[in-house]
Amino acid sequence: MNVTLGVILALSAAFVWALASVLSKVSMREVNPLSLNVIRLLLSALFYVPLVLYLGVPSFSALQWAILVVSGVLGFTLADWFFLEGMNLLGVSRAAILVTAHPIITMFVAHYTLGRPLTLGLLLGAFFIVMAVLVIASEGSRGGGINWKGLAYVFSAQLLWTFAVIVTDWLVVGESAFAVIGLRIGFGALASLAFLPRIEDDVRKLNARGWGLVFIITLLGTILGQYFFALALKFAGSSIATPVTESSPIMASIMAVLFLKERFTGRLALALVLTALGVLLISLYA
């Protein structure tokens, strides 16, 4: 029952992340990726940190606190920013498919560091997802060539996310998932304050509609999405919960094509089919 609930929570996180990604692309017509990431982190911290303090701060060792701080900075301050930069350059659909390599890395690391299961079904699902990533990575941009800068941003983001997910998986054992994710966001927001001088102009030019859009993105992607995912990690473990959330690229790609009018090419269609097969296999055999 716990694993089933974990899968449901992971799918819920995937949906709100997909919707937040599409809305983020719309928001970045007015603000740059760094500004969007800093603002949503600060808004998220205003929600999470007071509640964590009210409900009770976990009793971590000095080492655990140090790892918590580092994972928050790497996973939220840097990785989320890198992904937004990559998404801005590549488009929602292509950036979303590319980050499906992230759960594959997580599956293997979680298996060898935390003893999470790694079955033949998981490996077969991973194969299809890797093929989808290769198809999209080799696709040229609208201008004709491969956007190496966009690829570098996205792949850097998923390496940092992998570390952050493994750490979160370890920290939530015996502790409140809400507290762990809230503290990580809080430390990520604290680190983002260093970028305030660089985003000052963007913040000034945001109108009421822009602030409303950023608030919705924050509510969906950082507050609800991260909380759903943290609970999914607690109930199902990272080797199951993380791959299941990779239904998010499929949802995001469809939304981007429908609502943002992004290019729907044969390569994107093939990548979506491969990703769907991979996610299905992983969900069935996890």
Side-chain angles (χ1 to χ4, degrees):
M1 174 60 75
N2 281 351
V3 173
T4 302
L5 179 58
V7 170
I8 293 171
L9 287 164
L11 285 170
S12 300
F15 176 76
V16 295
W17 281 339
L19 186 54
S21 293
V22 172
L23 294 176
S24 294
K25 181 65 175 178
V26 174
S27 179
M28 285 187 290
R29 294 170 182 168
E30 299 180 23
V31 297
N32 66 49
L34 177 60
S35 300
L36 176 59
N37 193 50
V38 172
I39 294 170
R40 71 177 189 173
L41 272 178
L42 293 175
L43 289 175
S44 299
L46 289 175
F47 170 81
Y48 269 109
V49 174
L51 283 177
V52 171
L53 293 176
Y54 174 74
L55 296 173
V57 178
S59 300
F60 288 141
S61 66
L63 176 61
Q64 287 175 313
W65 276 111
I67 293 174
L68 186 75
V69 172
V70 172
S71 72
V73 174
L74 293 182
F76 291 108
T77 314
L78 296 179
D80 284 7
W81 168 31
F82 289 166
F83 178 66
L84 288 173
E85 291 280 5
M87 185 172 69
N88 205 31
L89 292 169
L90 299 171
V92 176
S93 54
R94 283 147 185 85
I97 293 292
L98 286 173
V99 294
T100 49
H102 155 56
I104 307 308
I105 302 170
T106 302
M107 283 164 51
F108 282 98
V109 175
H111 173 70
Y112 289 108
T113 60
L114 301 177
R116 302 305 187 196
L118 189 61
T119 65
L120 181 60
L122 290 174
L123 291 173
L124 188 57
F127 171 78
F128 283 113
I129 288 175
V130 169
M131 290 299 101
V133 170
L134 292 176
V135 167
I136 288 297
S138 62
E139 182 184 46
S141 64
R142 192 181 294 272
I146 295 174
N147 192 321
W148 294 108
K149 187 177 181 180
L151 291 177
Y153 271 124
V154 171
F155 281 110
S156 297
Q158 61 189 333
L159 289 176
L160 294 175
W161 277 335
T162 296
F163 169 78
V165 168
I166 295 298
V167 168
T168 303
D169 191 356
W170 174 58
L171 288 172
V172 296
V173 177
E175 297 290 349
S176 166
F178 183 90
V180 170
I181 204 69
L183 289 170
R184 290 183 63 240
I185 287 174
F187 287 119
L190 187 62
S192 73
L193 293 176
F195 296 109
L196 284 181
R198 294 181 55 181
I199 72 168
E200 192 174 345
D201 290 340
D202 268 355
V203 172
R204 282 204 187 105
K205 70 181 183 183
L206 271 178
N207 55 26
R209 175 184 174 277
W211 277 108
L213 188 56
V214 172
F215 177 79
I216 293 172
I217 292 167
T218 302
L219 177 64
L220 293 174
T222 314
I223 296 176
L224 290 179
Q226 289 297 333
Y227 182 54
F228 289 157
F229 184 55
L231 287 177
L233 289 177
K234 190 176 184 70
F235 289 122
S238 58
S239 63
I240 295 174
T242 308
V244 170
T245 60
E246 292 318 300
S247 55
S248 184
I250 301 171
M251 302 176 197
S253 296
I254 294 171
M255 290 179 193
V257 171
L258 291 176
F259 302 116
L260 301 180
K261 308 303 179 185
E262 290 192 0
R263 292 180 303 145
F264 188 75
T265 62
R267 284 178 180 265
L268 178 58
L270 176 59
L272 285 171
V273 171
L274 290 171
T275 302
L277 287 173
V279 170
L280 180 61
L281 283 168
I282 288 170
S283 300
L284 288 175
Y285 293 101

